[in-house]
């Protein structure tokens, strides 16, 4: 068994393509199949090396390793269609089909073909190519070729027939070939058409299962005819449902159809992204949402893939990313966020010991949905005392708030200001004063951090240390005329 992921380097690797790569990768892992990466770059004008680099970079970041690729070839196999085109692989196959009667040279100009289309439209009929070049004599064909007349090579559909595709996701799909034109397999510039190149490549590379997007369903009957003409075994097909935006239309850049490396740069974790994409059109039997790679592979069943389009919800993706962030130890998370730290954050936290840096990260871990949010939540640690005073002046404290602050300073002053010390002091105030946690936590948070929200307060104050906490409390109390406790 062998599957393949075959992107075109006419743009960056985006979410839709990643989902296709993921299902091929999971299928290969599940059943021990080979996995091929093929670069379909026959569109010379739009294909760019930087897009291919982005595809490789994205797959590498996601950990979707390939058994065969341009970087890891099997013997002398070529995995870029442009290289295969340079070796005349497609032209040779096309000429073999001409010799066996399955293809022919076509010499119509674009103007002649446009006239055919216009006539069909005037008759109210769907356009089907007339096939008149197929009626040319061998002498006429030779004369045209010798004179340098431009040509294409077309595949001969043959007598009308029904082609049934047994799709692994959708079941039987029936196609009537009388609705198909004899289609071009070699263009006038010598490059192969998509429907021809992919068949030749899949045949040569031994692909047994083709897992791809549903936008390729209409291509399938043409490709099956080419397989048969080449005497090749037709692979099994599985067409994945399309990914939709929030408005149920095709996914746009606004809804998430951006480069997968942009998600990396925003602070998404590869496992979170793959877990989320696996649930777009598929679900495990037990209905769980958070699945490790091993669990995804063990539970994967292609028959559970839906026929209906799946809506991409970036809020859900961010939530899932937050769940994965919380699965890491604080030490691991510190390493993960380092590439996202601003110069201000780096400068500020470098004065703290590694132990305290880990405590900082632990204190904000439950707040993070993206690694890139780290600077926002580290602000309370890196803010200068001058800026702290400016922010503090924006708040006011009631008499009850002042009493809470005085009690807190008193209870904390004889402690080490550990996480447990802070928790105990605040809980004691709640119990003694008969106050809810909000009435206690909020004024203490504002008075010690100048923020009305943020990480778990006992974690944050244990990083500050007793001296800084008492100094800030005294500033707040003095401002309101209460004096130091």
């Amino acid at each position: 068994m062998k599957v393949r992921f075959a992107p075109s380097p006419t743009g960056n690797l985006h979410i839709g393509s990643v989902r296709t790569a993921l299902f091929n990768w999971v299928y290969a892992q599940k059943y021990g199949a080979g996995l091929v990466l093929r670069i379909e770059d026959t569109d010379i004008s739009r294909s760019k090396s930087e897009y291919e680099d982005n595809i490789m970079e994205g797959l590498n970041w996601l950990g979707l390793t390939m058994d065969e690729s341009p970087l890891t070839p099997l013997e002398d196999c070529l995995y870029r269609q442009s290289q295969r085109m340079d070796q005349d692989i497609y032209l040779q196959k096309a000429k073999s089909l001409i010799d066996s009667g399955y293809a022919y040279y076509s010499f119509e100009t674009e103007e002649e073909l446009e006239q055919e289309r216009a006539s069909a439209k005037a008759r109210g009929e769907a356009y089907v190519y007339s096939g008149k070049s197929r009626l040319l004599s061998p002498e006429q064909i030779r004369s045209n070729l010798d004179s340098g007349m431009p040509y294409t090579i077309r595949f001969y559909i043959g007598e009308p027939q029904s082609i049934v595709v047994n799709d692994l996701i959708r079941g039987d799909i029936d196609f009537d070939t009388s609705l198909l034109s004899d289609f071009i397999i070699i263009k006038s510039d010598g490059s192969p058409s998509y429907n021809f190149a992919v068949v030749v490549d899949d045949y040569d590379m031994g692909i047994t299962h083709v897992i791809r997007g549903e936008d390729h369903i209409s291509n399938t009957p043409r490709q099956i005819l080419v397989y048969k003409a080449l005497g090749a075994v037709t692979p099994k097909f599985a067409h994945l449902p399309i990914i939709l935006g929030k408005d149920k239309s095709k996914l746009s850049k606004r809804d998430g159809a951006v480069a997968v490396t942009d998600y990396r740069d925003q602070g998404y974790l590869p496992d979170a992204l793959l877990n989320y994409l696996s649930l777009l059109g598929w679900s495990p039997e037990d209905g769980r949402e958070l699945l490790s790679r091993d669990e995804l592979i063990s539970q994967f069943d292609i028959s559970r893939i839906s026929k209906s389009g799946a809506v991409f919800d970036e809020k859900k993706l961010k939530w899932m990313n937050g769940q994965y962030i919380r699965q890491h130890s604080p030490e691991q998370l510190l390493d993960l966020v380092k590439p996202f730290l601003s110069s201000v954050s780096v400068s500020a936290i470098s004065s703290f010991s590694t132990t305290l840096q880990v405590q900082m990260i632990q204190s904000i871990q439950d707040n993070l949905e993206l690694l890139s949010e780290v600077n926002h939540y580290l602000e309370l640690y890196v803010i200068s005392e001058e800026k702290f005073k400016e922010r503090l002046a924006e708040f006011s404290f009631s008499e009850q708030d002042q009493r809470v602050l005085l009690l807190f300073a008193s209870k904390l002053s004889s402690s080490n200001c550990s996480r447990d010390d802070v928790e105990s002091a605040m809980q004691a105030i709640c119990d003694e004063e008969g106050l809810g946690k909000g009435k206690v936590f909020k004024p203490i948070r504002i008075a010690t951090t100048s923020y009305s929200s943020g990480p778990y307060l006992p974690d944050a104050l244990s990083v500050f240390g007793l001296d800084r906490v008492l100094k800030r409390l005294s500033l707040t109390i003095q401002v309101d005329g209460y004096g130091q406790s």
Side-chain angles (χ1 to χ4, degrees):
M1 293 173 64
K2 190 181 284 190
V3 292
R4 46 79 161 177
F5 174 54
S8 297
T10 54
N12 290 322
L13 182 66
H14 58 78
I15 287 296
S17 295
V18 170
R19 202 268 303 261
T20 301
L22 171 62
F23 278 120
N24 277 280
W25 182 84
V26 171
Y27 193 90
Q29 299 298 313
K30 174 85 173 184
Y31 298 106
L35 177 56
V36 174
L37 172 65
R38 183 171 70 233
I39 302 298
E40 299 191 340
D41 58 351
T42 54
D43 189 342
I44 304 299
S45 62
R46 296 176 58 219
S47 295
K48 298 182 185 300
S49 60
E50 55 262 38
Y51 293 141
E52 181 178 329
D53 291 342
N54 182 267
I55 291 168
M56 300 291 193
E57 185 180 355
L59 293 174
N60 183 60
W61 173 66
L62 292 165
L64 298 180
T65 53
M66 304 284 158
D67 298 304
E68 300 176 39
S69 74
L71 302 179
T72 55
L74 180 66
E75 297 178 348
D76 58 351
C77 188
L78 300 173
Y79 298 89
R80 293 185 183 89
Q81 286 186 335
S82 57
Q83 294 175 319
R84 295 170 63 76
M85 193 164 58
D86 289 343
Q87 296 293 318
D88 283 340
I89 290 173
Y90 306 111
L91 187 58
Q92 290 173 14
K93 280 286 197 302
K95 288 182 175 179
S96 73
L97 292 181
I98 292 175
D99 294 340
S100 58
Y102 286 106
Y104 57 92
Y105 292 103
S106 177
F107 298 96
E108 287 85 6
T109 64
E110 186 54 43
E111 290 75 16
E112 289 175 294
L113 294 174
E114 186 54 43
Q115 287 177 2
E116 285 192 8
R117 284 189 281 267
S119 296
K121 184 177 181 180
R123 296 191 303 270
E125 300 173 356
Y127 172 63
V128 176
Y129 167 64
S130 64
K132 60 183 181 181
S133 280
R134 195 174 67 252
L135 305 177
L136 295 175
S137 67
E139 293 75 22
Q140 288 174 306
I141 294 171
R142 176 50 52 198
S143 175
N144 289 343
L145 293 174
D146 289 344
S147 66
M149 183 180 292
Y151 67 86
T152 60
I153 298 178
R154 288 182 180 267
F155 185 87
Y156 177 40
I157 294 290
E159 294 300 316
Q161 60 177 297
S162 175
I163 294 178
V164 178
V165 179
N166 182 238
D167 192 281
L168 297 176
I169 296 171
R170 299 160 191 277
D172 288 348
I173 307 175
D174 199 343
F175 296 93
D176 180 1
T177 64
S178 67
L179 303 176
L180 303 178
S181 291
D182 290 352
F183 57 94
I184 292 172
I185 57 175
I186 299 293
K187 303 174 188 177
S188 58
D189 64 1
S191 64
S193 68
Y194 170 79
N195 281 317
F196 186 58
V198 296
V199 172
V200 172
D201 293 342
D202 286 345
Y203 175 34
D204 287 350
M205 296 175 187
I207 303 303
T208 61
H209 294 70
V210 175
I211 304 171
R212 59 188 181 185
E214 67 176 19
D215 50 323
H216 289 292
I217 290 177
S218 61
N219 293 321
T220 310
R222 295 177 180 84
Q223 293 171 11
I224 288 176
L225 289 171
V226 176
Y227 277 111
K228 291 180 177 178
L230 291 173
V233 175
T234 302
K236 297 183 183 300
F237 292 96
H239 289 95
L240 303 170
I242 194 170
I243 299 179
L244 304 172
K246 287 179 289 188
D247 60 357
K248 304 297 179 68
S249 63
K250 186 176 181 180
L251 192 68
S252 66
K253 288 186 177 180
R254 180 189 61 204
D255 294 316
V258 296
V260 70
T261 47
D262 290 339
Y263 287 93
R264 176 199 62 191
D265 297 342
Q266 289 175 47
Y268 284 95
L269 297 170
D271 283 351
L273 183 59
L274 291 180
N275 188 163
Y276 178 72
L277 291 178
S278 73
L279 300 177
L280 292 182
W282 174 84
S283 62
E285 197 167 358
D286 61 13
R288 284 191 300 137
E289 290 190 311
L290 297 177
L291 300 166
S292 69
R293 294 188 190 221
D294 287 344
E295 290 170 330
L296 173 58
I297 292 166
S298 66
Q299 296 204 40
F300 181 74
D301 182 345
I302 202 166
S303 68
R304 291 187 60 81
I305 295 178
S306 171
K307 304 178 185 69
S308 304
V311 175
F312 181 83
D313 183 351
E314 191 153 8
K315 287 184 179 179
K316 182 66 173 290
L317 172 59
K318 285 182 71 174
W319 170 83
M320 186 169 285
N321 199 62
Q323 301 304 306
Y324 272 82
I325 284 175
R326 284 177 267 295
Q327 289 179 10
H328 289 82
S329 69
E331 291 80 5
Q332 291 171 327
L333 187 56
L334 177 59
D335 287 335
L336 289 172
V337 300
K338 282 180 179 177
F340 297 90
L341 293 175
S342 67
S343 57
V344 173
S345 294
V346 170
S347 176
I349 72 171
S350 61
S351 61
F352 292 89
S353 67
T354 301
T355 300
L356 284 178
Q357 289 180 30
V358 170
Q359 283 184 239
M360 289 181 192
I361 295 302
Q362 184 175 18
S363 74
I364 67 174
Q365 187 163 8
D366 287 347
N367 300 85
L368 295 178
E369 287 191 317
L370 300 173
L371 297 178
S372 57
E373 295 171 344
V374 62
N375 296 297
H376 171 73
Y377 288 106
L378 283 179
E379 280 181 1
L380 80 164
Y381 295 117
V382 304
I383 188 174
S384 67
E385 291 305 306
E386 292 74 20
K387 184 66 175 177
F388 167 78
K389 293 175 184 177
E390 289 178 18
R391 289 181 53 85
L392 193 62
E394 300 172 5
F395 297 95
S396 60
F397 297 86
S398 67
E399 288 188 16
Q400 180 178 281
D401 293 339
Q402 287 288 340
R403 178 166 176 76
V404 166
L405 297 178
L406 286 165
L407 287 170
F408 182 64
S410 175
K411 291 180 181 299
L412 202 63
S413 60
S414 59
S415 75
N416 293 319
C417 199
S418 68
R419 185 180 194 268
D420 290 343
D421 292 334
V422 176
E423 282 184 334
S424 297
M426 291 194 295
Q427 187 59 52
I429 296 171
C430 291
D431 296 340
E432 292 169 10
E433 300 296 310
L435 298 173
K437 285 188 176 181
K439 298 289 187 180
V440 175
F441 278 51
K442 185 174 181 179
I444 295 175
R445 180 184 293 280
I446 294 173
T448 55
T449 70
S450 75
Y451 289 85
S452 58
S453 63
Y456 184 53
L457 194 56
D459 284 331
L461 299 192
S462 68
V463 174
F464 284 167
L466 183 61
D467 289 345
R468 181 188 282 192
V469 172
L470 293 179
K471 180 180 178 181
R472 288 188 169 184
L473 286 170
S474 68
L475 286 171
T476 304
I477 296 169
Q478 285 176 347
V479 166
D480 283 74
Y482 277 76
Q484 275 186 267
S485 61

